[in-house]
């Protein structure tokens, strides 16, 4: 792994760390070469389309999308009948950016790239990663699962570029990499020569003939500092590989078409795609179709997320939260607008939580129905602790609503909450009721303490600040009018919400704002919040309506508390709109709608060869930066402008746009401004139904900002419960060195020890150590977010890094369940619909963790399960299957408690005896049916039951 000190030095000098050319499929702009990003996306799209096809077939629906390597996210999303294009894009992006991050943080790790013949070590990383992915999905920790999956796929994909698997003439993936029970056979031992020197620049025939003949597996050696390698071994190759200049010279990598074995680049990339599809299929079988679709972000629409104060005066607010949530659930159940996930976090003083996260609306109803207002204590409550728990638990880009009538007791968490908002790009809206309610009159001392209006304004400003950072609102109403204000919850809890424009002005000035509405938008709503804003809206056709008109030519206006909500009429919306606002105090403006057309962005670091990895924190202020932008909701779009717009002003920084093909773009920013900003995108929708492109405009609701300090640390990992995990991090500044205050905490209140301060001194950098310990009873698959913050106490400048970890009990069971066929009864006439056939099988997981579930992956018959104890004390799951003779195939899937998968296939088609590509045997039986069984581990049982993984 690259030393974090080295990373710090490179960052301090204003350049990006350039790791060696060790990873496969990296070059981004070389014609004909395929990158890790493209390999990962192709595999995800193919497997997702297959899952959607299988579901459609089982439901009797047509699925006409051809499944190949030319799929696009938009095409798959539409074919899967999903309205959630943004979340699908977001999940894919999370996975392939995590894949790319391996090149930055593990650039010199032979195991992560399967260099130096590190096959066993590389497989261990893949197997451990697979176990963590399955455990995370089981706990519904989908973001952690995506991060881990992307990283393990990098190692898997590198095998096909860095080894000689392709040169050996292989036509299918090396499945042993994901099957720990299979032996790693026929590896070239350390003393076996594998290569000869290349003649000139031609390395086509540098692998020794005896290695190819004997099918010996090897991979290239790589060294940046040293040229040492075992005698006669192949090198990776390339300008940075010093071992390739030592006999035997040259290399065997297939990273791109210009590599030493670049003539095999396309074959290696295709093999890597197929291998990634194989991994995704294993995860699908272990978790089920619906969980798999949630993993890739396809089964999610909107999220209903509440953080609710449960102290004594909140009974009215709790009842309103129940009413609005029940209304949304009941009115949208079974429709495309039904929320796909529900989040609930109660808080009071001194407690907060627990987090309820479920896709079951009835469970959510039960949990929120059980809330009651009771107790009191000190006036401030643990509001930010509850919000932090919700931010960490909710999917990215969620809308979260906080109900309270009191100040935050834990205001010291403000910077941590802000960091999580920036990291997750979630929107937070505070529903504040009766700031001078009975809670402020509990006793004389409290009444005296909180009668000052300025004190109240300072308390409420905390909520305003966090709302503005997130792109949310602070709605201040009485308890009697709260039911009207909760209309914003109904607005936000829809599929495909987008922000067209958002501005904040404090201090306020008279100003005109313009925004473009395109034909893809529906349910366009304008929100104006503030004490006394006066505004007028103008349509593209010249019609106008003032903010004092409840019903006018442009829409209906709801006024409640400090909120004015304008619901625009659905007709004649397309074109350029204007709103003129005048106010004597603070106000905010937000224009939203529903549309499949949106954009995602990440600040990224460019790597050698043009690839990039995500930044986990704020970019360096005053220096250049790169944005990776993806436009969702279509396959043909032109991006004309990407702007950093001052969040509380009118300054703008323009970006330079470079297309990556499709709807992906890299945007170079010359300098990160000193002010907080939002990202605004403008472009053209190229719709085949219209003769001319249509203008569109979108804006990120979440506010961003730069910093003069940065923190780097390993992006993701697993930790064992009860065992302290030590994490090194580096602090780097491009300002004058000095002492920085350090803060670190987790969203789950795990034990964290860290230095209270670090001094960057004259070199502008410092290193620190954090020790994180998960409780010993933490369930495997639980995710935890660790936030590390550094703040300059003199200037207030700060930065953070937010890291997700998966808590994993050490897995020792890598054996898949075994299938033993007991009986097959089939007597099928020509008219298949008049008869049925039966299968009975015993499923065991001897010396394993036990079978957790059995399901059908093929066949539309009925499956029943029972458990018995065999004579030798083994737990046996008995599977009984019955189907029409018209349904002639069945495949059982058995999954044990740690996610090992076994499959068992049987068919009653015409008799024959063949050998399938996987090596399973087809056995004819009495001329009426045949059966083949394959199950991950070994041949067992009666009637020729054959097993594979």
């Amino acid at each position: 792994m690259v030393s974090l000190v080295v990373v710090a030095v490179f960052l301090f000098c204003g350049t990006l760390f350039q790791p060696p050319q060790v990873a496969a499929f990296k070059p981004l702009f070389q014609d004909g070469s395929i990158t890790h990003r493209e390999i990962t996306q192709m595999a995800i799209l193919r497997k997702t389309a297959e899952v959607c096809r299988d579901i459609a077939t089982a439901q009797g629906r047509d699925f006409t999308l051809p499944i190949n390597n030319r799929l696009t996210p938009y095409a798959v999303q539409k074919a899967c009948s999903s309205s959630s294009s943004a979340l699908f894009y977001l999940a894919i992006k999370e996975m392939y950016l995590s894949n790319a991050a391996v090149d930055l943080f593990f650039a010199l790790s032979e195991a992560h790239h399967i260099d130096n013949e590190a096959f066993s070590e590389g497989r261990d990383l893949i197997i451990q990663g697979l176990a963590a992915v399955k455990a995370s999905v089981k706990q519904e920790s989908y973001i952690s699962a995506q991060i881990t999956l992307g990283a393990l796929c990098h190692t898997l994909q590198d095998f096909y570029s860095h080894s000689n698997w392709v040169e050996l003439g292989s036509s299918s993936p090396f499945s042993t990499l994901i099957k720990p029970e299979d032996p790693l056979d026929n590896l070239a031992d350390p003393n076996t020569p594998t290569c000869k020197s290349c003649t000139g620049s031609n390395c086509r025939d540098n692998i020794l003939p005896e290695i190819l003949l004997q099918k010996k597996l090897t991979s290239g050696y790589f060294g940046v500092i040293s040229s040492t390698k075992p005698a006669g071994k192949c090198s990776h190759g390339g300008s940075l590989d010093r071992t390739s200049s030592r006999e035997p010279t040259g290399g065997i990598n297939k990273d791109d078409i210009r590599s030493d074995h670049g003539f095999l680049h396309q074959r290696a990339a295709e093999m890597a795609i197929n291998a990634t599809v194989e991994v995704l299929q294993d995860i699908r079988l272990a978790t089920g179709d619906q969980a798999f679709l949630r993993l890739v972000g396809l089964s999610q629409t909107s999220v209903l997320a509440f953080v609710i104060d449960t102290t004594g005066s909140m009974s009215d607010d709790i009842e309103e939260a129940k009413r609005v949530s029940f209304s949304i659930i009941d009115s949208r159940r079974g429709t495309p607008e039904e929320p796909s996930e529900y989040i609930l976090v109660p808080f009071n003083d001194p407690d907060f939580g627990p987090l309820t996260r479920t896709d079951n609306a009835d469970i959510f109803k039960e949990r929120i129905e059980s809330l009651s207002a009771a107790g009191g204590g000190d006036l401030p409550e643990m509001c930010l602790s509850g919000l932090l728990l919700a931010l960490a638990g909710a999917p990215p880009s969620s809308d979260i609503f906080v109900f309270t009538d009191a100040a935050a007791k834990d205001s010291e968490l403000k910077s941590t909450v802000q960091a999580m908002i920036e990291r997750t790009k979630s929107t937070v809206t505070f529903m504040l009721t009766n700031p001078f309610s009975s809670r402020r009159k509990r006793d004389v001392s409290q009444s005296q303490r909180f009668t000052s209006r300025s004190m109240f304004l300072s308390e409420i400003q905390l909520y305003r600040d966090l709302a503005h950072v997130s792109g949310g609102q602070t709605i201040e109403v009485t308890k009697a009018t709260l039911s009207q204000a909760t209309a914003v919850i109904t607005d936000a809890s829809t599929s495909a919400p987008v922000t067209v424009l958002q501005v904040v002005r404090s201090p306020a000035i008279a100003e005109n704002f313009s925004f473009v509405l395109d034909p893809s938008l529906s349910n366009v709503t304008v929100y104006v919040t503030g004490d006394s804003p006066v505004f007028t809206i103008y349509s593209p056709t010249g019609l106008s309506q003032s903010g004092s008109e409840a019903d006018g030519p442009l829409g209906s206006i709801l006024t409640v508390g400090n909120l004015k909500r304008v619901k625009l009429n659905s007709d004649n919306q397309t074109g350029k709109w204007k709103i003129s606002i005048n106010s004597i105090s603070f106000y905010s403006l937000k224009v939203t709608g529903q549309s499949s057309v949106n954009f995602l962005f990440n600040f990224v670091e460019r790597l050698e060869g043009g690839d990039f990895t995500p930044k986990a924190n704020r970019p360096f202020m005053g220096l250049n930066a790169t944005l990776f932008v993806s436009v969702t909701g279509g396959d043909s779009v032109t991006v004309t402008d990407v702007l950093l717009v001052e969040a509380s002003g009118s300054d703008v920084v323009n970006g330079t746009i470079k297309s990556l093909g499709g709807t992906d773009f890299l945007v170079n920013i010359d300098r990160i401004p000193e002010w907080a900003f939002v990202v605004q995108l403008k472009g053209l929708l190229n719709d085949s139904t219209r003769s001319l492109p249509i203008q569109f405009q979108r804006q990120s609701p979440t506010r961003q900002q730069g910093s003069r300090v940065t923190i780097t640390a390993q992006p993701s990992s697993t930790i064992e419960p009860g065992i302290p995990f030590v994490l090194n991090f580096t602090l780097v500044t491009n300002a004058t060195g000095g002492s920085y205050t350090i803060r670190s905490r987790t969203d789950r209140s795990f034990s964290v020890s860290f230095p209270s301060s670090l001094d960057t001194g004259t070199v502008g950098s410092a290193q620190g150590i954090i020790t994180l310990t998960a409780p010993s009873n933490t369930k495997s698959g639980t995710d935890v977010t660790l936030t590390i913050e550094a703040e300059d106490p003199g200037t207030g400048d700060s930065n953070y890094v937010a890291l997700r970890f998966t808590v994993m009990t050490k897995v020792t069971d890598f054996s898949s369940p075994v299938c033993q066929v007991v009986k097959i009864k089939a007597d099928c006439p020509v008219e298949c619909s008049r008869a049925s056939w039966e299968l009975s099988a015993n499923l065991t997981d001897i010396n394993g963790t036990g079978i957790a579930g059995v399901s059908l992956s093929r066949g539309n018959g009925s499956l029943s399960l029972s458990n018995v104890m065999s004579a030798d004390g083994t737990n046996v799951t008995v599977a009984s299957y019955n189907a029409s003779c018209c349904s002639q195939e069945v495949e059982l899937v058995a999954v044990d408690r740690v996610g090992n998968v076994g499959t068992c296939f049987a068919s009653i088609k015409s008799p024959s005896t063949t050998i399938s590509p996987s090596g399973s045997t087809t056995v004819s039986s009495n001329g009426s049916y045949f059966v083949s069984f394959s199950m991950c581990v070994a041949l067992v049982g009666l009637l020729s039951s054959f097993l594979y993984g």
Side-chain angles (χ1 to χ4, degrees):
M1 178 177 175
V2 178
S3 166
L4 291 175
V5 179
V6 176
V7 176
V9 172
F10 273 83
L11 286 169
F12 178 66
C13 295
T15 62
L16 294 174
F17 171 61
Q18 305 292 324
Q21 267 187 319
V22 66
F25 315 118
K26 279 183 55 178
L28 196 59
F29 302 116
Q30 292 186 9
D31 293 338
S33 295
I34 304 176
T35 68
H36 275 292
R37 179 175 66 90
E38 293 165 321
I39 289 169
T40 305
Q41 177 165 299
M42 287 177 192
I44 294 169
L45 294 179
R46 273 174 42 182
K47 181 48 62 180
T48 302
E50 288 176 13
V51 173
C52 292
R53 178 199 62 197
D54 293 347
I55 292 174
T57 300
Q59 295 175 349
R61 296 184 288 108
D62 291 334
F63 188 92
T64 59
L65 181 70
I67 299 177
N68 52 42
N69 288 342
R70 294 183 297 277
L71 293 171
T72 65
Y74 179 69
V76 173
Q77 173 247 324
K78 295 296 288 183
C80 290
S81 303
S82 170
S83 59
S84 176
S85 61
L87 291 173
F88 186 37
Y89 279 70
L90 193 63
I92 295 172
K93 194 173 183 180
E94 189 77 67
M95 285 184 265
Y96 64 56
L97 288 179
S98 171
N99 185 314
V102 173
D103 276 341
L104 180 63
F105 290 94
F106 302 100
L108 301 182
S109 165
E110 60 183 33
H112 282 83
H113 305 284
I114 311 192
D115 291 326
N116 304 3
E117 300 181 322
F119 297 111
S120 178
E121 298 84 349
R123 183 171 74 163
D124 286 347
L125 289 176
I126 294 169
I127 295 302
Q128 292 162 11
L130 263 175
V133 169
K134 294 170 184 177
S136 293
V137 171
K138 187 176 181 179
Q139 294 297 324
E140 299 185 351
S141 302
Y142 294 106
I143 302 172
S144 292
Q146 291 162 4
I147 293 170
T148 305
L149 178 56
L152 77 86
C153 282
H154 187 106
T155 302
L156 179 81
Q157 293 160 6
D158 270 3
F159 169 82
Y160 298 96
S161 176
H162 295 182
S163 77
N164 65 332
W165 181 254
V166 174
E167 286 87 344
L168 292 176
S170 307
S171 59
S172 59
F174 186 45
S175 299
T176 300
L177 289 177
I178 64 171
K179 298 177 180 178
E181 69 273 14
D182 289 352
L184 276 168
D185 287 336
N186 218 29
L187 304 182
D189 64 54
N191 299 318
T192 299
T194 55
C195 268
K196 62 182 178 181
S197 291
C198 300
T199 303
S201 59
N202 184 1
C203 288
R204 280 180 174 265
D205 300 317
N206 61 334
I207 298 179
L208 295 177
E210 55 267 33
I211 295 297
L212 300 176
L213 182 65
Q214 298 169 19
K215 300 289 186 181
K216 291 286 187 181
L217 194 61
T218 185
S219 68
Y221 281 72
F222 182 87
V224 175
I225 299 172
S226 171
S227 62
T228 301
K229 67 179 177 181
K233 288 296 185 180
C234 301
S235 289
H236 175 85
S239 59
L240 294 180
D241 177 18
R242 295 192 62 187
T243 74
S244 63
S245 62
R246 170 172 292 206
E247 290 287 338
T249 59
I252 64 169
N253 86 81
K254 295 159 282 294
D255 289 357
D256 63 77
I257 59 175
R258 301 180 186 180
S259 297
D260 291 328
H261 278 206
F263 64 97
L264 294 173
H265 170 77
Q266 295 290 342
R267 283 181 56 191
E270 181 65 32
M271 198 84 74
I273 295 170
N274 293 336
T276 307
V277 168
E278 189 176 65
V279 164
L280 295 172
Q281 174 67 5
D282 182 76
I283 295 169
R284 172 198 180 182
L285 293 177
T287 61
D289 287 351
Q290 293 306 315
F292 180 86
L293 291 180
R294 291 186 69 186
L295 172 64
V296 298
L298 251 194
S299 64
Q300 294 187 5
T301 52
S302 60
V303 174
L304 190 61
F306 288 166
V307 179
I308 302 179
D309 187 342
T310 59
T311 38
S313 63
M314 286 293 294
S315 57
D316 294 341
D317 306 60
I318 293 173
E319 289 305 312
E320 177 55 26
K322 293 177 183 178
R323 185 198 68 78
V324 69
S325 62
F326 289 5
S327 173
I328 291 171
I329 291 169
D330 294 339
S331 65
R332 297 178 182 175
R333 194 187 291 265
T335 73
E337 295 295 318
E338 181 180 2
S340 59
E341 196 162 3
Y342 303 89
I343 305 288
L344 176 64
V345 180
F347 69 90
N348 46 54
D349 177 31
D351 298 321
F352 62 94
L355 167 74
T356 295
R357 178 182 180 184
T358 179
D359 59 358
N360 188 316
D362 294 326
I363 291 177
F364 179 78
K365 275 187 168 185
E366 290 175 6
R367 298 292 169 81
I368 198 169
E369 183 67 47
S370 68
L371 296 183
S372 60
D378 294 336
L379 177 63
E381 314 294 349
M382 304 295 284
C383 180
L384 299 194
S385 296
L387 175 55
L388 187 61
L389 192 60
L391 283 165
S397 302
S398 293
D399 281 278
I400 299 173
F401 294 91
V402 181
F403 292 78
T404 187
D405 63 0
K409 183 176 184 178
D410 46 4
S411 58
E412 73 278 0
L413 291 178
K414 178 183 178 182
S415 60
T416 304
V417 171
Q418 181 172 337
M420 283 299 294
I421 288 171
E422 292 179 20
R423 178 70 169 149
T424 63
K425 298 183 176 68
S426 288
T427 301
V428 181
T429 292
F430 293 91
M431 314 293 293
L432 305 183
T433 54
N434 285 13
F436 293 105
S437 68
S438 59
R439 292 182 75 182
R440 294 185 175 270
K441 302 173 184 177
R442 288 176 187 152
D443 56 50
V444 174
S445 62
Q446 285 187 351
S447 177
Q448 292 172 344
R449 182 182 176 189
F450 291 103
T451 52
S452 167
R453 179 64 177 170
S454 61
M455 180 64 180
F456 169 69
L457 287 176
S458 65
E459 293 170 351
I460 204 171
Q461 191 61 45
L462 170 66
Y463 296 136
R464 286 179 175 177
D465 290 345
L466 291 174
H468 299 157
V469 166
S470 73
Q473 302 168 83
T474 306
I475 299 173
E476 304 159 39
V477 294
T478 65
K479 293 186 180 293
T481 57
L482 176 62
S483 61
Q484 300 173 59
T486 52
V488 300
I489 300 176
T490 305
D491 294 343
S493 301
T494 57
S495 61
V498 299
T499 299
V500 178
L501 176 70
Q502 179 153 333
V503 295
V504 174
R505 292 295 182 263
S506 181
I509 58 173
E511 199 165 351
N512 296 321
F513 303 97
S514 62
F515 54 93
V516 174
L517 300 183
D518 62 83
S520 74
L521 285 162
S522 61
N523 296 324
V524 178
T525 308
V526 179
Y527 303 95
V528 180
T529 57
D531 291 333
S532 55
V534 176
F535 65 89
T536 302
I537 300 179
Y538 302 88
S539 75
T541 60
L543 293 175
S544 65
Q545 182 176 339
S546 73
S548 59
E549 295 179 77
D551 290 291
L554 301 182
S556 59
I557 300 180
L558 167 69
T559 302
V560 53
N562 69 333
L563 167 71
K564 285 185 178 289
R565 169 183 173 262
V566 186
K567 198 74 174 176
L568 295 185
N569 296 332
S570 59
D571 54 341
N572 300 320
Q573 287 188 352
T574 301
K576 189 173 183 178
W577 290 66
K578 186 177 76 171
I579 181 167
S580 175
I581 302 181
N582 192 7
S583 178
I584 60 174
S585 63
F586 154 86
Y587 69 85
S588 69
L589 164 68
K590 185 173 184 177
V591 182
T592 69
Q594 283 180 270
S595 172
S596 62
V597 180
N598 204 353
F599 77 104
L600 310 171
F601 73 93
N602 285 86
F603 281 101
V604 295
E605 296 181 4
R606 295 286 295 273
L607 303 177
E608 184 175 316
D611 214 343
F612 45 85
T613 63
K615 283 185 65 65
N617 49 22
R618 294 169 181 157
F620 259 130
M621 191 181 294
L623 299 181
N624 60 15
T626 302
L627 277 174
F628 175 46
V629 174
S630 295
V631 181
T632 69
D635 285 335
S636 182
V637 64
T638 302
V639 174
T640 57
D641 299 278
V642 176
L643 313 170
L644 306 188
V645 181
E646 187 176 8
S648 299
S650 55
D651 284 354
V652 173
V653 173
N654 288 276
T656 303
I657 304 165
K658 183 177 183 63
S659 175
L660 301 181
T663 56
D664 292 336
F665 304 86
L666 279 183
V667 181
N668 293 320
I669 307 295
D670 287 339
R671 63 176 179 85
I672 294 297
E674 296 189 1
W675 27 262
F677 57 88
V678 292
V679 179
Q680 190 177 87
L681 181 143
K682 299 179 180 180
L684 300 173
L685 295 175
N686 305 314
D687 191 336
S688 60
T689 63
R690 297 181 177 87
S691 57
L692 294 175
I694 300 295
Q695 286 186 324
F696 76 98
Q697 170 185 332
R698 298 290 185 268
Q699 181 175 302
S700 68
T702 312
R703 194 179 75 187
Q704 307 288 317
Q705 65 185 72
S707 176
R708 299 192 184 281
V709 63
T710 193
I711 303 173
T712 57
Q714 184 175 322
S716 63
S717 185
T718 58
I719 60 177
E720 288 189 54
I723 299 178
F725 177 82
V726 178
L727 176 73
N728 297 306
F729 69 96
T730 301
L731 187 67
V732 183
T733 177
N734 63 359
T736 303
S739 181
Y740 284 81
T741 300
I742 305 298
R743 293 183 291 268
S744 184
R745 53 178 57 87
T746 73
D747 60 308
R748 296 188 181 274
S749 302
F750 288 179
S751 172
V752 182
S753 64
F754 56 93
S756 59
S757 64
L758 286 177
D759 196 320
T760 56
T762 57
V763 297
S765 66
Q767 292 205 357
I769 296 176
I770 288 179
T771 302
L772 169 65
T773 307
S776 57
N777 61 349
T778 308
K779 292 182 179 179
S780 280
T782 300
D783 69 344
V784 57
T785 299
L786 173 72
T787 305
I788 311 170
E789 301 170 70
E791 180 180 10
D792 182 341
T795 65
D797 181 28
S798 66
N799 209 337
Y800 68 91
V801 62
L803 306 173
R804 280 187 182 267
F805 297 87
T806 300
V807 182
M808 280 290 296
T809 302
K810 190 172 183 179
V811 177
T812 57
D813 174 17
F814 294 108
S815 298
S816 298
V818 170
C819 171
Q820 180 181 20
V821 175
V822 176
K823 180 179 67 174
I824 291 180
K825 181 180 179 182
D827 186 10
C828 293
V830 176
E831 283 292 329
C832 61
S833 60
R834 297 181 179 179
S836 62
W837 66 284
E838 301 174 0
L839 175 144
S840 178
N842 290 342
L843 304 166
T844 56
D845 191 36
I846 301 172
N847 299 323
T849 50
I851 292 176
V854 180
S855 62
L856 292 174
S857 69
R858 194 182 312 183
N860 56 9
S862 61
L863 175 68
S864 61
L865 305 172
S866 60
N867 295 310
V868 298
M869 185 77 71
S870 68
D872 62 359
T874 301
N875 288 317
V876 179
T877 299
V878 179
S880 300
Y881 176 76
N882 182 282
S884 164
C885 285
C886 298
S887 177
Q888 299 181 335
E889 297 179 342
V890 64
E891 186 171 37
L892 303 178
V893 177
V895 183
D896 68 16
R897 299 187 188 283
V898 294
N900 294 312
V901 176
T903 60
C904 189
F905 176 79
S907 172
I908 58 167
K909 289 185 177 180
S910 58
S912 63
T913 301
T914 62
I915 301 297
S916 74
S918 64
S920 59
T921 304
T922 301
V923 183
S924 62
S925 179
N926 70 23
S928 62
Y929 65 90
F930 71 83
V931 59
S932 81
F933 292 93
S934 45
M935 198 88 179
C936 296
V937 186
L939 174 65
V940 295
L942 305 174
L943 297 178
S944 302
S945 176
F946 290 86
L947 311 174
Y948 70 94

